[in-house]
Amino acid sequence: MLSAYQKQLVQNSFKKVAPIADDAAAIFYAKLFEYDPKLKALFKSDLRSQGKKLMMTLGIAVKGLDNLDELVPVLEQLARKHIDYGVSVDDYTPVGNALLYTLKTGLGDDFTPECRKAWVITFKAIADVMRTAAYPCFDPTTYKNVKYYHK
């Protein structure tokens, strides 16, 4: 569960990343494809425009931490769309780790251990909501990553 302080850490750190959104998106996709080169095949459109969508979606999710009742249905719908794109239950792991790497790179010293922990909790909660919506057999209490990457 994300505390009020952790939510504030996530929201404030994302505000610092927003001005470098294009660079952050480029870092994210480079690291994502390094972690799992097979994921590149899932992206049919220009990565620059995809990066803008990514940052916009992250912004919505981060702002939505203030109202989870509104955020959860948005995440569930997004998850179901991702099935059509070919996203598997295990693909969320390299995405989360690429996001952490991007934040670490983009925020530098501002990406403190407590900020990182707040983002880990946030991404896990988002991924659990999305996985549960998209994959009926998904159980966050028993799921084991088969794609484990971190830096």
Side-chain angles (χ1 to χ4, degrees):
M1 186 69 142
L2 195 65
S3 72
Y5 176 67
Q6 289 171 320
K7 179 178 75 169
Q8 184 180 34
L9 279 174
V10 168
Q11 291 174 329
N12 289 342
S13 62
F14 189 76
K15 286 177 189 171
K16 293 176 184 175
V17 172
I20 60 161
D22 290 343
D23 291 338
I27 292 165
F28 171 83
Y29 286 112
K31 186 52 74 172
L32 178 64
F33 300 147
E34 179 184 320
Y35 285 153
D36 191 341
K38 293 178 199 159
L39 292 178
K40 195 166 192 172
L42 300 180
F43 295 88
K44 310 297 184 217
S45 66
D46 165 50
L47 278 185
R48 193 168 180 77
S49 64
Q50 184 63 39
K52 290 186 185 308
K53 289 179 194 174
L54 168 73
M55 295 307 289
M56 182 184 74
T57 303
L58 273 174
I60 291 168
V62 167
K63 187 175 183 351
L65 294 174
D66 289 326
N67 188 342
L68 296 179
D69 290 338
E70 287 183 15
L71 177 59
V72 167
V74 171
L75 294 175
E76 290 172 340
Q77 181 181 11
L78 184 63
R80 288 187 286 272
K81 276 187 183 176
H82 277 74
I83 293 171
D84 295 337
Y85 303 144
V87 174
S88 77
V89 69
D90 296 320
D91 293 335
Y92 287 82
T93 301
V95 167
N97 287 302
L99 175 62
L100 292 173
Y101 177 85
T102 301
L103 291 164
K104 178 178 136 185
T105 303
L107 293 170
D109 292 341
D110 288 339
F111 196 60
T112 63
E114 32 178 33
C115 183
R116 183 186 189 284
K117 181 178 180 180
W119 273 99
V120 167
I121 293 167
T122 299
F123 185 77
K124 182 175 181 339
I126 289 170
D128 284 351
V129 166
M130 292 180 72
R131 285 170 164 156
T132 300
Y135 311 101
C137 294
F138 177 77
D139 179 351
T141 63
T142 59
Y143 174 73
K144 300 288 183 226
N145 291 335
V146 297
K147 293 184 176 185
Y148 180 76
Y149 312 92
H150 70 285
K151 290 283 177 198

